[in-house]
Amino acid sequence: MPPSDTPENTTAPGVGDGVADGPLIVFDQVVKRFGDLTVLDHLDFDVAAGERVTLIGPSGSGKTTILRLLMTLEKVTEGRINIGGEPFSHMPKGSGLAPASESYLRRRRKSIGMVFQQFNLFPNMTVRRNIMEAPVNVLGLSKDEASARAEELLDLVGLGDKIDAHPTQLSGGQQQRVAIARALAMRPEILLLDEVTSALDPELVAGVLDVLREVAETTDITMLCVTHEMGFARDVSHRVMMFDEGRIAEEGHPDQIFGDPQEERTKTFLKSVLENGH
Amino acid sequence: MNNDSTPMIWDFAFTFEVMPSLLQGLLVTIQLTLIGYSIALTLGLLIAVVRRVPYVGPVVHFVMEFIRTTPLIIQLVFVFFLLPASYALPVFGPVPITAFTVGVVVLGIHYAAYTAEVYRSGIEGVAKGQWEAARALSLPTTRTWGAVVLPQAIRKVIPALGNYLISMFKDTPLLFAIGVAELLTRAQRVGSESFRMMEAITLVGLLFLLVSIPSAIVIRRLEKRYAAV
């Protein structure tokens, strides 16, 4: 099944402007090394606007690194990433390309949001301020606008009554739902989800996944999701990519990957995940 | 002290007589501490942040190491006798450089070398995820520092910073060396004029206690309050 959402409906301005056709995200021969360790090995893939892709694979296979490269928390060692038809890991300089500068990245990554495994809410701020901080200081919204947006998003994640609480007063699941609201407050075009339920107690996982299902159903945000929640991956994603040793071992529609995996590595991996009770 | 003419009996009349002068000295000591501490707190924070800047950081670090490994009294004497008695500013004209000014500034800078280390440990204690979240939200550098990192870092080090306030208060008698009219200087003056050094010096000790003990209690309470969170 191709992505059902159409890129024309994308609301957030920024990376995808003026690109009706062509993929939104392009990885072109991307290599990422940490010292001698090669985490991503000449990786090529595209993601269409509005597409929801799940990245699975054993730990250390490079899934999280892909998200971190897109969030500019890491830099590519070799190769290029383009977003919306324009260079992202690099920037135009003269007639060629140079590694992207901080100010270039700052401008380009505004339309990308990320939710982390450890939530990473700001503990010194209330829930409301956590959500308002970036819309006010990055997008230039007025405090009233940002506050209204925070209220609206907290209702979406079912935490309207916690708006003036501090993160430490919330459960892990609630914190993660606030973190989702915080990322959405920037009206991102691309949302990166990095093992968002891995740090949660089992009984809190469902609430977070329900929120994400709702986001997937009601918006056309492009999502890249690293997860071990195979049921969730099957429900929301248009495509699943199986990673192994920094390369894509297999990719396809979730029904095919989970129902009829072709590669031995995919079969072994899915078997081990099921046995571990995820 | 002259044991023949002054037997070692506490002289209460003398005590009351010198008290106003000593209290004046205590006031100067407190002023020195508060102004010096404000300098140490702000400058130390600035240094802790600048230390993370490439190239500039290591230079600042070296200077701070130097300050921390040489005695405060040497720094005071060196700076005081090195500087001219007044300095001609472009607009304001000549500004006198008093012992008080030198004392408070040197004290502040000396302690900034220590508070900078305290701030640094606080900054390093802020979880990496906080920086990453700030980056993921594209927060400007000023907000990342001002709204996310420093509030968390400073909160953790408030007790450690408080301890330096007491240390600094106890170091102010070193300014005796450059003749600032603080508590010890005054006590020495009244003591040597009257040959009643015992009373004068004992009173200095008591006055220091009078301020340090309540301050220490306040700081212990701060420690408890911020350790609990």
Side-chain angles (χ1 to χ4, degrees), chain A residues 65-94:
Chain A
T65 305
I66 291 168
L67 303 192
R68 292 177 61 84
L69 285 171
L70 285 168
M71 199 63 261
T72 73
L73 300 171
E74 308 284 355
K75 288 187 164 70
V76 296
T77 312
E78 288 170 29
R80 276 164 52 183
I81 301 171
N82 288 357
I83 293 183
E86 285 175 41
F88 182 75
S89 60
H90 293 70
M91 60 180 185
K93 193 176 185 182

Side-chain angles (χ1 to χ4, degrees), chain B residues 52-67:
Chain B
R52 298 174 69 99
V53 177
Y55 308 110
V56 186
V59 178
V60 172
H61 177 62
F62 176 78
V63 174
M64 289 301 120
E65 258 329 284
F66 178 79
I67 291 175

Side-chain angles (χ1 to χ4, degrees), chain B residues 6-229:
Chain B
T6 47
M8 299 298 280
I9 294 168
W10 187 270
D11 184 341
F12 280 100
F14 176 77
T15 305
F16 289 114
E17 188 191 317
V18 299
M19 216 30 150
S21 171
L22 292 186
L23 285 175
Q24 279 287 316
L26 182 65
L27 191 67
V28 174
T29 291
I30 290 172
Q31 283 173 345
L32 282 168
T33 310
L34 293 182
I35 302 172
Y37 191 60
S38 311
I39 295 175
L41 284 186
T42 28
L43 188 62
L45 183 58
L46 197 69
I47 291 166
V49 175
V50 169
R51 268 202 56 188
R52 298 174 69 99
V53 177
Y55 308 110
V56 186
V59 178
V60 172
H61 177 62
F62 176 78
V63 174
M64 289 301 120
E65 258 329 284
F66 178 79
I67 291 175
R68 274 187 297 146
T69 48
T70 50
L72 174 55
I73 191 162
I74 306 289
Q75 292 167 12
L76 283 166
V77 171
F78 182 80
V79 173
F80 185 64
F81 292 107
L82 182 93
L83 288 178
S86 71
Y87 189 79
L89 282 178
V91 182
F92 298 97
V95 174
I97 300 175
T98 63
F100 184 92
T101 315
V102 170
V104 86
V105 169
V106 172
L107 200 61
I109 294 174
H110 184 86
Y111 270 87
Y114 290 93
T115 55
E117 283 301 296
V118 173
Y119 285 121
R120 187 180 62 90
S121 74
I123 292 166
E124 283 174 4
V126 174
K128 197 166 137 259
Q130 295 290 308
W131 293 93
E132 293 187 345
R135 193 171 167 86
L137 291 168
S138 287
L139 294 185
T141 314
T142 47
R143 292 305 291 178
T144 301
W145 278 100
V148 178
V149 176
L150 291 181
Q152 295 181 54
I154 292 172
R155 194 181 170 84
K156 277 183 212 159
V157 298
I158 284 173
L161 290 175
N163 285 330
Y164 278 115
L165 175 62
I166 296 185
S167 294
M168 189 181 225
F169 177 64
K170 292 192 298 176
D171 267 354
T172 52
L174 291 172
L175 272 63
F176 173 65
I178 56 170
V180 178
E182 47 73 59
L183 190 49
L184 180 65
T185 310
R186 281 172 189 264
Q188 204 274 339
R189 205 175 293 156
V190 297
S192 56
E193 278 163 8
S194 59
F195 302 107
R196 300 221 54 105
M197 203 49 116
M198 185 185 75
E199 281 85 350
I201 296 299
T202 309
L203 287 171
V204 169
L206 289 174
L207 287 173
F208 264 96
L209 271 182
L210 194 73
V211 178
S212 313
I213 289 178
S215 313
I217 290 170
V218 169
I219 285 161
R220 289 294 90 77
R221 288 179 60 168
L222 280 180
E223 219 161 63
K224 268 193 198 132
R225 183 171 156 204
Y226 288 100
V229 179

Side-chain angles (χ1 to χ4, degrees), chain A residues 1-80:
Chain A
M1 187 181 80
S4 56
D5 305 308
T6 48
E8 292 83 10
N9 292 340
T10 309
T11 48
V15 288
D17 282 1
V19 188
D21 310 311
L24 180 63
I25 304 169
V26 177
F27 271 58
D28 178 9
Q29 290 289 298
V30 170
V31 176
K32 177 63 188 176
R33 289 190 200 96
F34 294 107
D36 290 338
L37 182 73
T38 302
V39 183
L40 298 178
D41 186 10
H42 295 92
L43 189 64
D44 281 313
F45 70 86
D46 298 350
V47 176
E51 194 179 8
R52 294 188 292 272
V53 181
T54 299
L55 287 63
I56 62 170
S59 60
S61 59
K63 306 160 295 189
T64 290
T65 305
I66 291 168
L67 303 192
R68 292 177 61 84
L69 285 171
L70 285 168
M71 199 63 261
T72 73
L73 300 171
E74 308 284 355
K75 288 187 164 70
V76 296
T77 312
E78 288 170 29
R80 276 164 52 183

